[in-house]
Amino acid sequence: MKFCVDTDKNNSWYIGTKDYNSKMINKIETIMFQGNGYVGMRGVTEEPQLNEKRDMFVSGTFDAFPSEVTELPNLPDLLNMVFQVDGETLNLKDGQVKGYHKYLNMKNGELTREFTWIINHKQINFKFTRFVSMDNYHLLASKVTISADKDINLKIKSGIDGQQSNSGTQHLMEGSKRFYEGKFIQLTEKSQQSKIEFVFNSMHKLFVNEVLLNDKPYIKMGRRQIFENYDVDLAAGQIFQIVKYSNIFTSIDTDVKDDDLAEASVNCLKKSSWANYHELLQKSTRAWEKNIWKKNLVEIQSDDITPQVAINFARYQLAANTPHSPNMNIGAKGLTGEGYKGHTFWDTEIFMLPYFIFTMPKIARNLLEYRYLGLEGAHKKAIRNGYRGAEFPWEAANPSDGETAPLWGSADIVTGEPMKVWSGFIEQHITGDVVYAVMEYLNATNDRDFAKKMGYEIILDAARFWVSRLEYDQDHERYEITNVIGPDEYKEHADNNAYTNYLAHWCIQKAIQVVNILEEDHPDLYVTLDKKLDLAESYNDWISHVNKIYLPQPNEKGVIPQDDKYLAKRKIDVTKYQINDQISEIFKDYNLDQVNDLQVTKQADVMLLINLFDDYFDKDVKLANWNYYEPKTTHESSLSMPPHSMIANELGLDDQAYKFYRWTCETDMGVHVGKSVQGMHLASCGGIWSMTVQGFGGVRISNGKLRIDPHLPKAWSSLKYQICWHGSIVKVSITHDEMEVEVVGDGIEFINNGQEYQVPDNSKIEVDDFVPEKVKG
Amino acid sequence: MKFCVDTDKNNSWYIGTKDYNSKMINKIETIMFQGNGYVGMRGVTEEPQLNEKRDMFVSGTFDAFPSEVTELPNLPDLLNMVFQVDGETLNLKDGQVKGYHKYLNMKNGELTREFTWIINHKQINFKFTRFVSMDNYHLLASKVTISADKDINLKIKSGIDGQQSNSGTQHLMEGSKRFYEGKFIQLTEKSQQSKIEFVFNSMHKLFVNEVLLNDKPYIKMGRRQIFENYDVDLAAGQIFQIVKYSNIFTSIDTDVKDDDLAEASVNCLKKSSWANYHELLQKSTRAWEKNIWKKNLVEIQSDDITPQVAINFARYQLAANTPHSPNMNIGAKGLTGEGYKGHTFWDTEIFMLPYFIFTMPKIARNLLEYRYLGLEGAHKKAIRNGYRGAEFPWEAANPSDGETAPLWGSADIVTGEPMKVWSGFIEQHITGDVVYAVMEYLNATNDRDFAKKMGYEIILDAARFWVSRLEYDQDHERYEITNVIGPDEYKEHADNNAYTNYLAHWCIQKAIQVVNILEEDHPDLYVTLDKKLDLAESYNDWISHVNKIYLPQPNEKGVIPQDDKYLAKRKIDVTKYQINDQISEIFKDYNLDQVNDLQVTKQADVMLLINLFDDYFDKDVKLANWNYYEPKTTHESSLSMPPHSMIANELGLDDQAYKFYRWTCETDMGVHVGKSVQGMHLASCGGIWSMTVQGFGGVRISNGKLRIDPHLPKAWSSLKYQICWHGSIVKVSITHDEMEVEVVGDGIEFINNGQEYQVPDNSKIEVDDFVPEKVKG
């Protein structure tokens, strides 16, 4: 695979670069992101750089600038440090640079940057290291080590810089600037509309040859800024170190219950600063090990290290971007950039949740609870649009906000008029996607508690929406869903998008099943939910509608029509838009109206339907649709590639399966300059895990049962992974001709190649006569 | 004089620099500011630079971000242009640069930057020119000329970039982004609190070898951004030009009355774009000549060009920063930077108005009308503080706003607690300063219309404040004014600051005189104002108080005590803080409480009293106070130096007079890196004119009469200047032994060396036996 960063054959946790003068500056900032789910910051340099995107976010702290939709505010910067050597300000564009090396240790999230800066005939060695603690979510620490071949005077300015904005938009109102005990500096701010309070603290320790200096800083304040200034004379060969401790607290933190956040937070920093950088890093490293790496093992044996790097990278980014409270969810770009404003989309349910469901079900439950808490907002949206039940928002911020998609986008390239953004109104499949994820979770975990407290209600409420959404077509005597956007966002105002119709139908089926379960097993809960959701009447509606919902069927060639008009539209050659390492430029040739009239698909649509409901369709239909749709798909969305890889793998189209796998791994780490500037594609990270474990590793849920039908890429000699199933840990080892399944915990059942296997409690079995799936086909 | 820019012996309108890699980047942006009083922009480069301060303001468009005081919003940037040559983005930190030259033509405000950029073995010549029109206040035009020694591909991105902020604070809500006819781009925004609407338009014309290209731009939009993109292949030796036309309109413009600002403004730009750059520049140049240079002639003959450069620079900056509506005033930093938030201080009345009163009295009237319109705000402030009448704001934005000074400043360096900003409460002399300026204006212009409509009311209303402000001291049987900040801002909570007490006393005297005039000459107006201001009662108050106001008298050594406690405080050696080309660092050694206990003065205080009321004190007293206070003054404020220069000149202390003159000229153009970063010192510009024309040129008003007692510096062989007096133009030519006065218009009288002269209508006289003032002493 072709990455924009270097990898290390012997260390799959390393990504690095020796190119400091790169045009990739914003991309490197994105992929060398550091976070712990609470706070996240881009891999910017300490000293300011031209064109940098210096972003730091805390999960869930949404605010709306007047006239704009809510977004995560870009917070005051705690990473800044300005160095002057003999009066020359450190800037790698000045002087000369030798031995530049910037690298991320994905095992514990420590970022390192080192180089020798040559200025005025002196050589100054800099080494920057820093991390965000996975042990204490509020804590950041960084250490800079400096030495020179001649005597130098070193001036350092470091502190808290609140002059950040979201591309020019300022959310935070300045509070107070304080310092305590001559060394702890503090800035407080408050968000303008959501009134969330923020406190930021920093302090520094300085050492020469490991001896602590007692220098008092000279404090300077500016607008939204407070800095400590130090002035140190350093002899040739002496080793100087400055350690910066910072922390962040907000008034919506659930782990701090103190009236005086300002005082409590500075006390926390005092305590943290008793430990040195190394001790704090060790604690964080142990937390990474315990909270993440112990739970989600994936090991790929291959001559090539990059697949293992890719899966490590994917899991690193997911861990660093996943919040810890059910009031928050993972943004399409997590905390890694301003793109999509921190909003959550179906990316979570369809592309990221499989990973969490199968490895960290508690986190999966949190992420689904977010949708339960979002029912209020979903009701608002349904009512506003004239429907009943829960219509989940296309873009979600605070759960109770409901829809947060912007109303207006860019101006049309032809007319010059601003274009309405339709997704928030008619991209309705999200309500089915949520239910799909709830069912996957329930099937994999058997979490009855969640089902009763939240899961059933989500399913029922969603079904209430869907049945209110159906439109009766007299001519065909059937229920239809017209005027939607399906997964293929090139087609606005489509009628009977197959993906949407199947999902709606399936949701209503699930709701009917849930009512049956409730009546039989949980009569009390039935009564409760009946009061809330008018179950008796809803049930009758569902029964009377469900079998009359139009489900587009494969035509004579086996092709499922994407929507009513798609198959009659004009065809063009899409090849030139399918290149992965450039931006798809179809909109340079056509405007949206024109693309709407072409048989061109942005991303997996019918293919996604087939991937999610793979029991519905036989191999011939799958292949027919692959052959029809894939060549018409630009894959402009990163969401397109994982389903394509998984279906291709199932169909034995090995080269295609690996191509889409590779493209997904290259989505963020690849060489394309423009991609990832606004942040990571976290659905791709979920996709990397899914293609690896669910695609090549073959883990699927069929009719509520665990199915494991692996088919490894040629380039891999073996794959090991670990999943959770019904509370037990399942370790699967696969080679091209052997498959072993080990269970820690209660015994489980699984299906391979159509045959059911049982693994007793805490034991291991080998699958007899293991046949890789392709051969079956 | 030592400037940070180069000058040209043969062209006093030129300032320039050949140093592109300078640490002076922000200073150069400030002094190469361009403006026309309506809009102003710093001299930033077209391509973005690290640490630049990219500010553009429109006069009077104040807005308040929640929790902050009102300020001028930094507007969307219209100057930006990004150039790519064969894929390399123009950045002078990359490649090599030859022949760099950036210079400002102060005669017409055209800014030029040229250089050869050497990259990938190609030499590309760039020449940037631009101006803000003095003919059409809404219009900006820039032209970039590019040629190369080899074939190149040139990509240009240029447009409207609304991702600007005031050091992180965003005032404007995004409106719409549009383009018209495929080439006019538009961004609209609205201020958050003040709801002012803004429209920005741009368009481009491209030429190769002077032939217009028909290339359509590729439009790209971002958040608050709209850009045109061009892609041009240029053969070696071809000359490429891109001309960018932009304009700005706001909903508070008084010269546009169109319901649809968006459409009207784009139509204006269409019309403007019919003319070429040169034609538009010519119109603007003519407007500069007609509106400014014809009215304020100052010619200095000297071997050194820098005094003439300094006076040109001062007049250029004042013209570029003075708004055209009485609803607006000149900020302490004009439109040249974010410093002081665009707010107006006493800088206008005491340091800038003399220039306008004597050269462009219509503008002076506008600036004073602003205070008349501010009476409402001044009433609010008086009431809030428990007084009557008009208490003018220490910091003023919109006239009706009243006080706009911030409440809280930085944290105290010792306690860490935020410090209250007292100026808005107790720096009360501003109310006297306004009256002083009104009287100077009335004396110089004899503008009875202004007096009746506005001037008298200001004087009376201010006197009502002062009399309500007085405190009776039983022991001394006198009225005092305790707890103020005088001009010396090192002394907070001073009692009986001499400057303040004298001014208050003088104001009340003036009000008594005004009542007498009204009763005698304008009985109708008396009735009107009596209704508003309760004149009968006020008059009695004034009469009963005025002679009991405590006016600190010279002590036995002739020293007027600055306040009650000053003379008893501890003395220190102030010399080390008096250096002009460094920042005064007294606060590195003492905190404010400590400085308060020292005989250290920030700026002319008693000396300013002596300068403004020079008839009150004889030469011995003046000299005694000079000898006492000057050595105790850090001159940390740029307001300190002009009065010192003028008094020294009067006292025959020629070296001192010239030193403070030089320091003032060097305030912005000097070599100190830190000064001027946040913007120009416009009071210094006024000071340069005052020291030249009122100091060396000797123009003063004594008891309402024009006095001209010149005393040229040794280094000058002659000085010519032009002033207005009672509607006539008075041209004065001075050498070391001759003085000639010419009048255009009605004859005038003036006093020289104690003797009265008359100049008949439209004629010229020579002063007999002209004696330079020093000799008199």
Side-chain angles (χ1 to χ4, degrees), chain A residues 21 23 48-52 65-69 71 87-89 91 93-94 162-174 176-180 192 218-224 338 341 409-418 583 587-588, chain B residues 21 23 48-52 65-69 71 87-89 91 93-94 162-174 176-180 192 218-224 338 341 409-418 583 587-588:
Chain A
N21 201 7
K23 289 168 188 170
Q49 274 196 78
L50 188 64
N51 296 326
E52 66 182 3
F65 189 83
S67 83
E68 296 185 9
V69 297
E71 72 184 327
E88 294 287 340
T89 302
N91 179 346
K93 290 265 182 185
D94 295 324
Q163 292 188 0
Q164 311 301 322
S165 69
N166 293 58
S167 302
T169 296
Q170 175 64 33
H171 288 276
L172 303 184
M173 302 185 295
E174 191 168 357
S176 65
K177 284 168 284 197
R178 289 283 306 266
F179 57 102
Y180 297 88
Q192 189 182 161
Y218 174 63
I219 306 283
K220 258 199 118 165
M221 299 186 198
R223 188 172 187 181
R224 304 169 178 280
E338 294 179 19
K341 299 172 182 297
S410 288
D412 183 280
I413 219 72
V414 176
T415 65
E417 307 263 1
I583 278 187
F587 287 110
K588 282 199 173 167
Chain B
N21 202 8
K23 290 167 187 170
Q49 274 197 81
L50 189 64
N51 296 328
E52 66 181 3
F65 189 83
S67 84
E68 296 185 9
V69 296
E71 72 185 326
E88 294 288 341
T89 303
N91 178 347
K93 290 265 184 185
D94 295 323
Q163 291 188 1
Q164 311 302 321
S165 70
N166 293 58
S167 302
T169 297
Q170 175 64 33
H171 289 276
L172 304 184
M173 303 186 293
E174 191 168 356
S176 64
K177 284 168 283 198
R178 290 282 309 266
F179 56 101
Y180 296 89
Q192 190 182 162
Y218 174 63
I219 307 285
K220 259 200 119 167
M221 299 186 198
R223 188 172 188 181
R224 304 168 178 279
E338 293 179 19
K341 300 174 183 294
S410 288
D412 182 281
I413 219 71
V414 176
T415 65
E417 306 263 2
I583 278 187
F587 288 109
K588 281 198 173 168

Side-chain angles (χ1 to χ4, degrees), chain A residues 627-686:
Chain A
N627 288 332
Y628 193 83
Y629 286 109
E630 194 288 318
K632 297 180 178 60
T633 305
T634 60
H635 305 293
E636 192 193 329
S637 164
S638 63
L639 307 181
S640 194
M641 295 173 284
H644 276 92
S645 171
M646 287 190 267
I647 293 172
N649 197 50
E650 189 190 337
L651 294 174
L653 305 169
D654 290 9
D655 291 347
Q656 295 278 353
Y658 209 69
K659 180 182 88 176
F660 287 112
Y661 165 76
R662 190 163 49 79
W663 282 12
T664 301
C665 296
E666 289 170 356
T667 295
D668 291 300
M669 283 205 289
V671 295
H672 187 292
V673 180
K675 274 185 190 168
S676 318
V677 165
Q678 299 291 329
M680 285 285 305
H681 299 76
L682 284 162
S684 274
C685 294

Side-chain angles (χ1 to χ4, degrees), chain A residues 401-440:
Chain A
D401 289 347
E403 187 58 61
T404 55
L407 280 183
W408 297 99
S410 288
D412 183 280
I413 219 72
V414 176
T415 65
E417 307 263 1
M419 295 186 292
K420 187 161 179 176
V421 176
W422 285 103
S423 299
F425 298 97
I426 60 174
E427 199 152 354
Q428 296 166 339
H429 60 79
I430 174 72
T431 296
D433 304 326
V434 169
V435 173
Y436 187 89
V438 168
M439 282 308 304
E440 290 282 288

Side-chain angles (χ1 to χ4, degrees), chain B residues 10-25:
Chain B
N10 301 310
N11 178 5
S12 63
W13 298 100
Y14 165 97
I15 52 173
T17 176
K18 293 181 172 172
D19 176 12
Y20 75 96
N21 202 8
S22 166
K23 290 167 187 170
M24 293 273 181
I25 158 175

